[in-house]
Amino acid sequence: MEIDQIKQIAVIGSGAMGSQIAMLCALAGYHVTLQDINEESLVKAKQSLEGNMKRRVEKGRLSQDQVESAFDRILFESLLEEAVKNADFVIEAIVEKLEAKRALYAEVDRLAPAHTIIASNSSTIVSSKIADATSRPDKICNMHFFNPALVMELVEVVQGPHTSEETAQITFELAKRINKVPILLKKEISGFVANRILGKLMDEAIYLLENGIATVEEIDLACTKALNHPIGPFALIDLTGIDVNYHVRMQRYLESGDEKMKPSKIVTELFEKGDLGRKTGKGFYTYS
């Protein structure tokens, strides 16, 4: 298959990441189906995208015609079979749980055309842990977007030992065609590049907080005002979701058996209380 043969894209999972990835593809001219088994999640995704696009039109970043055309190219669908039956490329953006992903990939493999590439937006679960749930391991890879996907430029494409050169190159080229800046990793490692570096920063930030050396606000200020980061580590955890941080760390712990990989005490406490950051109005910070 060649990149020009990709016309239909299916995005599975209509959370913040999945819905924005779908819009990226639609804005770039692709026909997209955004699928989620939860109808309510699809309604919220559409409303969120409408608000986001309205702000972009008001700021002059996009024209009303561009936005209307993009929405014309997106279908919101609850049935997986309908979403993938004509898809040339599938991007999976569901919960960071290995068994859920394996079950989904087996279904997509059964329902999608033989030529379809299936890429995971996961940054923690490498595709070699999923590929053997399908009959097409050569067409499985990671294609990791950053939150918020409409804004962040980088995409990490990861070629697992099972991934064909063709699949890696098509995925890399697709990232460019939807106006992203891709990097191609020829070797798998959990967390890839950006999140491994970020993880070390977050570990240190939590160490400083839990040992009473500085407050959440002070640590974030040190990163924004001394290191010139656009956002501090605690504000970033709140933005991406404390639940996401918790599940990523639990996955790494389960894979490695290393106690140091476990979610931190403070993240675990917030997760168990349901204070998940911006999405719930409270995390390390309180949001109105």
Side-chain angles (χ1 to χ4, degrees):
M1 188 165 73
E2 293 179 5
I3 184 68
D4 290 332
Q5 289 172 273
I6 292 175
K7 310 287 184 196
Q8 288 277 157
I9 296 174
V11 180
I12 313 299
S14 67
M17 289 301 290
S19 58
Q20 292 199 16
I21 292 166
M23 180 52 79
L24 279 170
C25 296
L27 284 167
Y30 290 99
H31 289 277
V32 187
T33 304
L34 178 62
Q35 188 272 339
D36 201 299
I37 51 172
N38 186 333
E39 294 266 9
E40 194 183 334
S41 182
L42 287 170
V43 171
K44 283 182 181 170
K46 190 175 185 188
Q47 289 170 344
S48 175
L49 287 174
E50 284 169 346
N52 198 314
M53 292 299 107
K54 185 169 181 271
R55 290 190 294 276
R56 283 169 178 257
V57 170
E58 286 167 357
K59 290 175 180 175
R61 290 176 185 163
L62 290 170
S63 70
Q64 188 62 38
D65 281 351
Q66 282 175 301
V67 168
E68 285 175 11
S69 295
F71 272 111
D72 286 344
R73 286 189 287 269
I74 300 181
L75 288 174
F76 296 83
E77 176 60 64
S78 60
L79 295 174
L80 184 64
E81 183 177 3
E82 288 299 312
V84 303
K85 68 180 182 184
N86 297 315
D88 303 303
F89 200 101
V90 174
I91 301 169
E92 168 269 311
I94 68 164
V95 66
E96 287 289 272
K97 291 183 179 170
L98 180 58
E99 287 315 309
K101 289 187 191 290
R102 285 182 62 84
L104 174 70
Y105 277 66
E107 275 294 280
V108 174
D109 183 50
R110 186 174 67 81
L111 297 168
H115 69 271
T116 306
I117 290 170
I118 314 170
S120 177
N121 180 53
S122 177
S123 66
T124 347
I125 299 172
V126 291
S127 67
S128 60
K129 293 189 179 294
I130 310 167
D132 68 338
T134 76
S135 62
R136 61 182 92 195
D138 61 310
K139 296 188 184 298
I140 311 292
C141 68
N142 287 86
M143 184 186 196
H144 177 231
F145 294 77
F146 291 83
N147 191 16
L150 280 162
V151 177
M152 304 300 279
E153 289 183 85
L154 191 76
V155 168
E156 293 170 318
V157 176
V158 186
Q159 184 174 2
H162 53 280
T163 310
S164 71
E165 189 64 34
E166 179 185 272
T167 295
Q169 289 304 326
I170 287 172
T171 307
F172 186 84
E173 185 57 38
L174 179 62
K176 289 203 283 190
R177 295 206 177 184
I178 59 173
N179 301 305
K180 293 299 174 188
V181 178
I183 59 173
L184 176 59
L185 280 65
K186 293 280 194 175
K187 198 171 180 181
E188 280 189 340
I189 186 167
S190 178
F192 311 149
V193 174
N195 279 349
R196 287 185 74 85
I197 294 168
L198 181 62
K200 298 296 183 192
L201 176 79
M202 286 180 170
D203 285 351
E204 192 58 34
I206 284 168
Y207 173 85
L208 294 169
L209 176 66
E210 289 189 336
N211 284 276
I213 291 154
T215 65
V216 163
E217 292 82 1
E218 287 167 336
I219 294 163
D220 276 3
L221 278 170
C223 290
T224 57
K225 301 302 181 188
L227 304 179
N228 210 21
H229 293 185
I231 186 171
F234 293 111
L236 183 58
I237 295 173
D238 275 359
L239 178 65
T240 54
I242 281 157
D243 52 335
V244 173
N245 183 281
Y246 177 85
H247 288 310
V248 164
R249 295 307 294 251
M250 278 305 287
Q251 183 66 35
R252 288 201 192 153
Y253 165 64
L254 292 171
E255 281 178 18
S256 66
D258 184 349
E259 290 284 329
K260 293 200 292 290
M261 290 287 110
K262 268 188 173 175
S264 69
K265 185 165 168 276
I266 195 161
V267 164
T268 302
E269 284 169 3
L270 289 167
F271 174 75
E272 288 173 351
K273 279 198 293 185
D275 293 337
L276 307 181
R278 282 181 180 266
K279 68 178 90 175
T280 59
K282 192 175 182 193
F284 287 104
Y285 293 92
T286 300
Y287 303 88
S288 56

